[in-house]
Amino acid sequence: MSQNLPVTKRRLLTTAAAAVTAVALPAPFIRRASAAPMRIGVYLPYSGVFTSLGTKITNALELALAENNNKLGGREVELLKIDSEADPSKAPERMVRFIGQGAEIIIGPVHSGVALGMIRVLQNQNTTLIIPNAGAGAATGELCAPNIFRTSFTNWQPAWPMGKIMHERGARRAMSISWNYAAGQESVAGLRQGFEENGGEIVDEILAPFPTVEFQSYMPEIAASDVDAVYTFFSGASAVQFIRQYHEAGLDRNIPLYAVGFLTEGTLDGLEEIAEGLETTMHYADDLPLEANRRFRAAYQDRFGVAADVYAVQGYDTGRLLVHALAQVDGDTGDAAKLQAALRSFEAADSPRGAWRFSRAQNPIQDIYLRRVSDGINRYQGVAAAQVEDPGTGCAL
Amino acid sequence: MFSRRAARHGARGGSGASADGAWLLILVLPALLSPLLFAEGFELQRLARFPIFAMLAMSLAFLVGSAGLVSLGHAGFFAAGAYGFAMLAGSCGAPPLFGAAGGLAAATATAALLALASGVFALRTRGIYFLMVTLAIGQVVFYALLDIPFFGGSDGIFLCGAPAQFFGLDGSRSYYVLVSASFALTVLLFWFLRRSYFGRLLRAGEIAESRLEALGYAVFPLHLAAFTVAGAVAGFAGALEAMRFRIVNPELSDWHVSGLLLVMVVLGGRGTLWGPVLGAVLIIGAEEVLVTRYPEDWRVGIGLIAILVALYLPGGLWGSGLWRRVTRSIFGRGGGGDGDGRSMAFAGADSLTVNGDGRSVALVGEASVTSHDVGSSERRQLMPAGAARKKLNDNDGDGDGRHVSGHFDGDGDGDGDDGVVVNDGGVDGDGDGGVVVNDGGVDDDGDGEGGRLK
Amino acid sequence: MSLSLILLQLVNGVHYGLLLFLVAGGLSLIFGLLGVINLAHGSFYMFGAWIVWWATTTTGNYWFALAAVVIFVAAGAWVLERAVYRRVYESSPLVHVLLTYGLALLLDELRSALWDDEVHSLAAPESLRGFIDLGEGLPSYPLWRVFVSLLCLCLALGLWWLSARTRLGAAVRAGVERREMAEGLGLNTPRLFSCIFILGAVLAAVSGALAAPISSVYPGLDSQALILSFVVVVVGGVGSLSGAFVAALLLGVADTFGRTFLPEAASVAVYVVMFAVLVWRPEGVLASRR
């Protein structure tokens, strides 16, 4: 039985070494031929808590492309998808992988931390990045670059007009509660600025540990404080819990709750009367009275069997932006400066969210709407602030 | 009390050219360096993920395989090293405290200190407890990085300053060479540690802790040293990770990273030097392929791999029957293994003599505890240390827990008849050999002769 | 901070702890008797919440849905125990970790395939939607939370009775203390193991179902439940129900007060308690002296 075969073992290990090389090799050798389909890297979450956002953005992006016969500037389009897992630590190398696979444009992500990881690699590169959600101010602030565009918002943007609204509603002393993470802090900072500009005062800021689910222990503190408004930045599951627990603590009867729209986006299912009457600010409202919006919602509902929301709109606008810009450059992404100029020139006249265009820092200048939850829908109440531009602090573009 | 001379003799007498030796570096290193010929820039930085995770997996395998300590918080030390480097050598604003080399050292020290401090807590426990406590340590690191503003919060930190350059290479190439060299050094480190007196004592402790204690060795400091070394290497890998794309994030310490590391270690073969490297390469490679091919469902693939490894390959690939069969079918007759695993397992069996009561105890030598000893002592590991010790002592027969002896011929003849044998019923490949620990009381007569498998 | 506020936080902490006990109690039993580290335990909690949401929206009746949770999860756990877990009882913790880690990933994908990845909110049953008014300057307290706390207490008592007064309980205790001896005395361990595994899974699922109207239903429920129950088990001692009970209450209260008094380090509060207990009594707060 026993064969003493060091040589064959050596051979075995050569195999292993060969395997290492094999795994390592392919990416850099896949280079695009110029007439080949246009490859677009899509880096969105397809697992974990942000999955539904990733799916909606992808759906709407595909809808926009399908409306253009799945072609951009005359070239077929091939979407390369990778699950971002909402994990920033993997973002840089996934970008390298996209570039290795020949992606000419990259779309993503949902999560702010992931955005920063992507930018780390894509900064000073020719590959264009279009951010369809993540609101980290830095992406179009101190980290801005000619190849980085955003079709969604900065965390500051929808929060700032809320300060004025709260003041109009009679609030003078308010407190804020959000998760202790970057997006929450940026949003609260925007609100504080808007509220103080109008003469209000934020007397207390609660930062709940991320990603906590239990807010009950904060209710006594809110009840005990003598504020006349509470501002909050939560989304997804935490939003549902917060709204419900705020209601169950009886606080909504005495202290009105204000928030940016994420609180009530995709979270109203099952909340029923609890969420009724909540006022939020956002760059979109489900029943925005625009022909483009009606058309988009009908098409989306038709194709995917579910209602569109703000995330879908952001995905759709990303697709529309690509259609516009690549038509201008005839599908040639080789000249980065030309492509970037074409992207910058985009003016969304018929976006479902209303007209918007890029700011100097390449973030949308857009209307922020006031919405009110009624019958489980974020209903349009009017424009809270017209054509809001993020200050883009620190951006040298 | 152990005769050091005997130990040294054992070391010398160990198998010089086992399939699991450091000499393999001669083959692996060129393969590792070959991307320098065809890749550049970010692509090199991307590929560096393989050796970095191989280093991580090796450090965890040292804990798991040599000391029998299954940690589910290893990513915590990885992140500690990464943040240590980011804050000490990559800070923005004020000039950083250290350069790249100093930063690497400081980051390693940070992780080592953290491992030392948390090890004092964690090593009060054993088995399941240890696993859960280490998970908690990882979680504490995660939440500390996330919640304390000083560490940059959920968005992490961008490192400032230019990447280190040397040998006239550009940043990426210098970095890749650095990672490759670090990998080689890590291989040598663990190769040395596994053969060293320390490594032998560790393995002896894993196989028969009570006996080692009865011989006057305290297991706690041994384990603490191993935990610290593993943490330091993980921290070192973390510092390299921080240099890779010059960004750090709390997700580095996510417990899923620790879970995946365990999958790598077991898949490769935790009792071996090279198994973890193989495991890391396979898992990272699988992840790369799955996540691009099946972006929506790739976790099914990873989940299935973990389950299949647990059910059918708990001994790992390296040196296992399966691996041998696979390579044999590829390379024809006699490929890739020794047929029955014995010569590999016992190539370095040697003896350590005990002077105490004149009886001799032999503990298995180099490379001998390979993939065979799946879970050396399940029942024992279910209990915290104190209880375990008592129970084992009870089983030692004479009950005084002192006159423990074992008998081994220690001739290294590879016949598999002797040695400590773990009755695991696990994956032995061929079922004939291995190390047997008489945990269940077969050896209760205390003469040390029992427990032979055949 | 006034006394009434502190009392209220205490009530919140106890409520949280009681829910934790339900998840962790089952985990502790499974650890103690079966010796299996079950990283998929949080998945049972998650399935409890998702099934109760799905069945409530389908049938319109929460109580009916709760029964559905018990049936479905018991059946699922039975299948899993027979098909998978049974094969690894004798293996090392390492094998358990791998196996159950993989299972947890698969079960989450299964959840995603069965339903979706959205956030769903679920109202408490009609009859328990009210609030208790606590007076000026204090938030009102939802009836559902009171009910859940009481129900958890009842279940805890039931478990205690089961453990202390029944043959099954005696067998379990014997099995935890001296496994080989119990087997030697002819206890039918495979069937006992099945029972306990199913019991543990159902407890976790029921706790998920009870928490669903409070915490809502979403992807990612599993990890959160899992890690906290691990901490409870470590603090309470493996296999000890009373230990898990004390530990869960302790950690629930610690977490709640941590948020109030140390908001910046709140996530770490439970772990600090854990390390403190480890120094004081490494085998858990109520560990029997073996």
Side-chain angles (χ1 to χ4, degrees), chain A residues 102-117:
Chain A
E104 295 158 56
I105 292 166
I106 292 169
I107 295 171
V110 160
H111 181 286
S112 288
V114 176
L116 301 186

Side-chain angles (χ1 to χ4, degrees), chain A residues 1-21 23-29 31 42 44-48 55 58 80-101 111-123 125 136-138 143 180-183 185-186 207-211, chain B residues 17-20 23-24 27-28 31-32 34-35 38-39 42-47 49-50 142-143 146-149 153-160 241 244-247 249 251-252 254 257 260 274 278 281-282 284-289 291-299 318-319 323-324 327-328 330-340 342-344 430 432:
Chain A
M1 281 258 287
S2 174
Q3 303 155 339
N4 195 9
L5 294 169
V7 181
T8 56
K9 278 173 204 152
R10 216 164 275 147
R11 224 169 171 190
L12 175 158
L13 294 156
T14 336
T15 326
V20 181
T21 336
V23 177
L25 261 172
F29 285 105
R31 281 283 165 204
V42 178
L44 292 167
Y46 299 115
S47 67
T55 312
T58 313
L80 311 167
K81 294 180 203 166
I82 295 184
D83 179 9
S84 76
E85 305 168 56
D87 178 353
S89 67
K90 287 186 185 152
E93 64 204 308
R94 303 290 192 225
M95 293 308 104
V96 179
R97 184 146 175 95
F98 273 147
I99 295 172
Q101 286 178 314
H111 181 286
S112 288
V114 176
L116 301 186
M118 294 166 78
I119 289 171
R120 181 90 265 197
V121 163
L122 296 176
Q123 245 175 350
Q125 298 284 305
L143 295 175
N180 182 13
Y181 76 145
Q185 285 156 356
E186 289 180 12
L207 291 173
F210 175 83
Chain B
S18 94
D20 205 27
W23 63 271
L24 263 172
L27 295 179
V28 172
L32 181 60
S34 63
F38 62 76
F42 284 137
E43 192 61 35
L44 279 176
Q45 283 157 256
R46 181 178 82 88
L47 292 175
R49 182 172 163 86
F50 288 90
F142 178 73
Y143 285 121
L146 200 63
D147 285 350
I148 300 176
S154 57
D155 282 352
I157 305 174
F158 269 30
L159 277 69
C160 290
E241 173 71 19
R244 194 154 73 101
F245 288 109
R246 311 189 59 71
I247 184 171
N249 189 278
E251 296 288 332
L252 290 172
D254 187 37
V257 178
L260 211 56
W274 284 97
L278 176 67
V281 169
L282 288 178
I284 302 249
E287 200 184 73
E288 291 271 295
V289 172
V291 88
T292 18
R293 291 269 167 81
Y294 310 100
E296 274 104 9
D297 313 302
W298 65 279
R299 292 190 311 159
W318 200 267
W323 187 247
R324 278 199 303 279
T327 47
R328 191 177 299 163
I330 294 172
F331 295 99
R333 200 188 85 78
D338 57 13
D340 62 6
R342 283 186 303 189
S343 66
M344 195 190 296
D430 50 16
D432 67 349

Side-chain angles (χ1 to χ4, degrees), chain A residues 298-316:
Chain A
Y300 190 93
Q301 176 81 42
D302 199 42
R303 193 177 164 107
F304 304 108
V306 289
D309 62 5
V310 64
Y311 305 112
V313 169
Q314 291 165 185
Y316 186 71

Side-chain angles (χ1 to χ4, degrees), chain C residues 177-189:
Chain C
E177 286 285 319
R178 291 278 187 275
R179 162 95 164 267
E180 292 86 351
M181 191 61 92
E183 275 172 26
L185 292 173
L187 284 172
N188 182 348
T189 36

